[in-house]
């Protein structure tokens, strides 16, 4: 590789004008939208996991069919705590045949989601992605505003902490979902 280095020209980008006010507004709106959307999409999962919606009970995974490329289609039987009849449901694709777990039946009655701490941690994985993604937005805003080096360094430190927290919460959520 060092044989080719003399042939490469290294270009340092100039501090040109960058995007104008309209472009910056579009970038910020898209950035915020992309980072907030996972939280909005996970509201239903949080409501199920905390028992605010759905029917509490027990899920027994009956079978999981391999669809290829690491995807599975799992079927199960949900037995409500109230003692009603068992209902056939779709189980989480990260299940295994024979798993028995606390679950919450969706209001539609077609799927059962993990309940309790495991369900909350699993539901947290998606919003954690958005949290990790939004960590460095303040730095970008300060950079565009022409803030001093000290303020930008503080924004980098805070952004690093927020992104690390998002990554940690995401890993915890994924581990909870698959354990």
């Amino acid at each position: 590789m060092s044989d080719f280095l003399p042939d490469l020209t290294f270009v340092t980008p100039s501090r040109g004008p960058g995007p104008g006010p309209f472009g910056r507004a579009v970038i910020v709106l898209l950035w915020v939208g992309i980072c907030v959307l996972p939280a909005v999409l996970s509201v239903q999962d949080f409501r199920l996991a905390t028992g605010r919606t759905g029917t509490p009970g027990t899920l027994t995974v009956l079978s999981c069919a391999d669809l290829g490329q690491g995807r599975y289609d799992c079927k199960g039987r949900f037995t409500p705590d109230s003692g009603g009849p068992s209902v056939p449901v779709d189980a989480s694709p990260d299940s295994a045949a024979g798993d028995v777990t606390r679950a919450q039946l969706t209001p539609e009655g077609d799927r059962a989601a993990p309940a309790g701490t495991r369900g909350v941690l699993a539901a947290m994985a998606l919003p954690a992605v958005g949290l990790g993604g939004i960590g460095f937005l303040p730095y970008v805003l300060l950079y565009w505003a022409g803030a001093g080096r000290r303020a930008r360094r503080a924004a980098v430190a805070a952004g690093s902490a927020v992104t690390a927290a998002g990554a940690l919460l995401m890993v915890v959520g994924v581990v909870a979902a698959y354990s």
Side-chain angles (χ1 to χ4, degrees):
M1 167 128 175
S2 62
D3 298 338
F4 300 107
L5 276 176
D7 296 334
L8 296 175
T9 56
F10 294 99
V11 178
T12 303
S14 65
R15 290 179 64 102
F22 178 74
R24 290 177 181 182
V26 169
I27 289 171
V28 169
L29 288 174
L30 288 174
W31 194 332
V32 169
I34 288 171
C35 291
V36 169
L37 187 62
V40 172
L41 294 175
S42 65
V43 168
Q44 182 63 22
D45 290 334
F46 274 114
R47 292 176 55 98
L48 279 170
T50 58
R52 294 189 182 263
T53 62
T55 305
T58 304
L59 170 67
T60 305
V61 180
L62 302 174
S63 67
C64 288
D66 187 358
L67 301 175
Q69 299 178 348
R71 298 179 336 180
Y72 294 90
D73 181 29
C74 296
K75 302 293 181 190
R77 182 180 62 243
F78 180 82
T79 306
D81 287 347
S82 63
S86 295
V87 179
V89 293
D90 290 331
S92 178
D94 54 2
S95 303
D99 284 354
V100 178
T101 185
R102 294 287 308 147
Q104 200 79 4
L105 182 66
T106 61
E108 297 82 24
D110 60 344
R111 104 182 145 88
T117 304
R118 179 178 174 223
V120 170
L121 291 174
M124 176 181 60
L126 192 58
V129 172
L131 177 66
I134 207 153
F136 285 97
L137 180 60
Y139 169 79
V140 171
L141 294 174
L142 288 172
Y143 179 82
W144 284 340
R149 174 175 256 173
R150 188 174 199 174
R152 289 187 316 212
R153 283 185 185 218
V156 167
S160 297
V162 169
T163 300
L168 178 65
L169 291 173
M170 181 180 53
V171 169
V172 168
V174 169
V175 168
Y178 285 92
S179 62

